[in-house]
Amino acid sequence: MSEKAMCSNCKASVMIYDDAERKWKSAGRTPGLSNVNVYRHMVQNTFRVVGRKEQDGEVVINCAVISQLKYNRATPTFHQWRDGVRTVYGLNFSTHDEANMFAGAMEDALEML
Ligand SMILES: CC(=O)N[C@@H](Cc1ccccc1Cl)C(=O)N1CCC[C@]12C=C[C@@H]1CC[C@@H](C(=O)N3CCC[C@@H]4C=C[C@H]5CC[C@@H](C(=O)O)N5C(=O)[C@H]43)N1C2=O
C-alpha cells in the first residue's frame, strides 16, 4: 500500500463553493456525510485529500495538497481551502474533535512538503 492515511477517518459534509452563484454546494450526487482523510504517498512524498460518501462510497473529493495551500479554519467545525486553481473546498465536520484531527493532519502534510 503506497499511500498511508495521516489520521483516522473524519466525518464531514464536503462542499464546493460555486463562485458564479456565490453559494456552497454539496460535493457529489447528494448531500450527506463523507469519510475524509489526508493520504501520504510514501514514495513520492505527495499528499491528497480523499473523501468518500458514507452511504455509497462515492468519491466526492480527491484533491492534491500543494505546498502553497492556505488552510483556513473559518469556524471550529468548518474548514476551507483553495485547490490552487479555482475550486474552493469546504469541510463541515460533525465534531470539533474530528475537525481538529483533520486540520492537524493537513498541517503535518504542509510541513512535510
Ligand atoms: C480571502 C479568501 O479567499 N477568503 C475565503 C476563505 C479563505 C481564507 C483563507 C484561505 C483560504 C480560504 Cl478559501 C472566503 O472568504 N471564501 C471562499 C469562498 C467562500 C468565501 C467567500 C465568501 C463567503 C462569505 C461567507 C463565507 C462563508 O462561506 N462562511 C462563513 C464562515 C463559515 C461558514 C460555514 C459554513 C458554510 C456552509 C454553508 C454556508 C452556511 O453557513 O450556510 N457556509 C458559510 O457561509 C461559511 N465565505 C467564504 O468563506
Side-chain angles (χ1 to χ4, degrees):
M1 181 65 179
S2 56
E3 287 188 88
K4 290 261 179 294
M6 296 284 284
C7 64
S8 36
N9 279 337
C10 298
K11 297 240 184 305
S13 157
V14 180
M15 309 186 87
I16 290 174
Y17 190 73
D18 181 324
D19 263 328
E21 296 184 34
R22 285 216 283 277
K23 66 179 193 178
W24 290 96
K25 297 195 171 162
S26 295
R29 278 192 300 276
T30 58
L33 285 179
S34 293
N35 289 308
V36 294
N37 212 316
V38 182
Y39 288 97
R40 177 184 185 193
H41 194 289
M42 302 309 284
V43 177
Q44 299 162 357
N45 195 46
T46 56
F47 300 83
R48 62 177 171 149
V49 176
V50 178
R52 291 174 185 276
K53 287 297 286 297
E54 248 191 335
Q55 180 203 1
D56 60 5
E58 178 194 6
V59 176
V60 293
I61 180 171
N62 180 12
C63 168
V65 176
I66 57 172
S67 58
Q68 310 90 311
L69 189 149
K70 297 270 175 298
Y71 187 77
N72 183 47
R73 299 179 187 225
T75 74
T77 52
F78 183 81
H79 300 175
Q80 57 190 161
W81 71 90
R82 276 195 171 68
D83 76 342
V85 183
R86 47 175 178 66
T87 307
V88 178
Y89 292 101
L91 298 181
N92 230 343
F93 292 94
S94 302
T95 65
H96 290 192
D97 287 351
E98 288 171 290
N100 284 333
M101 187 161 56
F102 185 88
M106 190 61 127
E107 282 146 10
D108 291 348
L110 288 166
E111 273 160 34
M112 290 189 226
L113 280 173

